[in-house]
Amino acid sequence: MFDLAAPLVLASGSPRRRELLSGAGLRFSVRPADIDETPLAGEAPGNYVRRLSIEKAAASMGSPLASPAEIVLAADTTVDVKGEILEKPLDADDAYRMLRMLSGRTHLVHTGVTVSVPITGARRSSTIVVATEVTFGDLEDAAIDWYLETGEAMDKAGAYGIQGAAGAFVEKINGSVTNVIGLPLAETLTLLRDATSA
């Protein structure tokens, strides 16, 4: 793995993103960004995650704890069912509604990733959006109820985590698996490498 020339800050509180970056051998600190994540009227899912990743990076850099010398990595993930954005469920009923929507169909998972690096007297940001197709099998009510009882659904976009019990629902994946977890790792590492070597 490559070494970064400046401290890396992850602008996210997601434990999945921390695990993925740590597993790739990166050393970093965590400074979550608190922003309004409400979608704009008519905003496409890919544009939504792009915008939020950019806003999260900016918010993290605007923190009193920020240093001009650090590299900031921000990301946002959403589930897209025929253009409808599925964020984290509001409650168990909302989670049930989302899982019922995902049952027996293919959906997209989009992640926007922004890297901001220091350059002489300023900063340069680069952003990518990665999409993965995920196909669920038909879910019976009992299966959805079982999954909701695990508690996994409540803090995840689309009300499921592929790395947990909901992996049993997945029939097929086309694209990055780590993207579905919350950070497209190969693409993120390439973005970091390119941004810090330019």
Side-chain angles (χ1 to χ4, degrees), residues 5 17 24 32 36 41 82 92 96 105 173:
R17 294 188 182 120
D36 182 359
K82 292 189 175 181
Y96 180 91
R105 69 197 313 177
I173 295 177

Coordinates of all heavy atoms in Angstrom, one line a residue, residues 5 17 24 32 36 41 82 92 96 105 173:
A5 N 1.6 11.6 1.9 CA 2.5 12.6 2.3 C 2.0 13.5 3.3 O 2.7 14.3 3.9 CB 3.0 13.3 1.1
R17 N -16.8 2.2 6.7 CA -15.8 2.9 6.0 C -14.5 2.9 6.7 O -13.4 2.7 6.1 CB -16.2 4.4 5.7 CG -17.4 4.4 4.7 CD -17.7 5.9 4.3 NE -18.9 5.8 3.4 CZ -20.0 6.5 3.7 NH1 -20.1 7.2 4.8 NH2 -21.0 6.4 2.9
A24 N -7.2 -1.8 4.3 CA -6.3 -1.5 3.2 C -5.0 -0.9 3.6 O -4.1 -0.6 2.8 CB -7.0 -0.4 2.2
P32 N -16.2 13.3 11.6 CA -17.5 13.3 10.8 C -17.9 14.7 10.5 O -17.8 15.6 11.3 CB -18.4 12.5 11.8 CG -17.5 11.8 12.7 CD -16.3 12.6 12.9
D36 N -26.8 18.8 6.2 CA -28.2 18.5 5.9 C -28.2 17.5 4.7 O -27.7 17.9 3.6 CB -29.0 19.8 5.5 CG -30.4 19.5 5.2 OD1 -30.9 18.4 5.2 OD2 -31.1 20.5 4.9
A41 N -35.2 18.7 -4.7 CA -36.3 18.3 -5.5 C -35.8 17.8 -6.9 O -35.1 18.5 -7.6 CB -37.3 19.5 -5.7
K82 N -35.3 2.6 -9.2 CA -35.9 3.3 -10.3 C -35.9 4.8 -10.1 O -36.9 5.4 -10.3 CB -37.3 2.7 -10.5 CG -37.3 1.3 -11.0 CD -38.7 0.9 -11.4 CE -38.7 -0.6 -12.0 NZ -40.0 -1.0 -12.4
A92 N -38.9 1.3 12.0 CA -39.1 -0.1 11.5 C -40.1 -0.2 10.4 O -39.9 -1.0 9.4 CB -39.5 -1.0 12.7
Y96 N -39.3 -1.6 6.7 CA -40.1 -2.7 6.1 C -40.5 -2.3 4.7 O -40.4 -3.1 3.7 CB -41.3 -3.0 6.9 CG -42.2 -4.1 6.3 CD1 -42.0 -5.4 6.7 CD2 -43.2 -3.8 5.4 CE1 -42.8 -6.4 6.1 CE2 -43.9 -4.8 4.8 CZ -43.7 -6.1 5.2 OH -44.5 -7.1 4.6
R105 N -36.1 -7.7 -7.0 CA -35.8 -6.8 -8.1 C -34.3 -6.3 -8.0 O -33.7 -6.5 -7.0 CB -36.7 -5.5 -8.1 CG -36.5 -4.6 -6.9 CD -37.6 -3.7 -6.7 NE -38.1 -3.0 -7.9 CZ -39.1 -2.1 -7.9 NH1 -39.8 -1.9 -6.7 NH2 -39.5 -1.5 -9.0
I173 N -24.6 -9.6 -7.8 CA -24.0 -8.3 -7.7 C -23.2 -8.0 -9.0 O -22.4 -8.9 -9.4 CB -23.1 -8.1 -6.5 CG1 -23.9 -8.3 -5.2 CG2 -22.3 -6.8 -6.5 CD1 -23.0 -8.2 -4.0

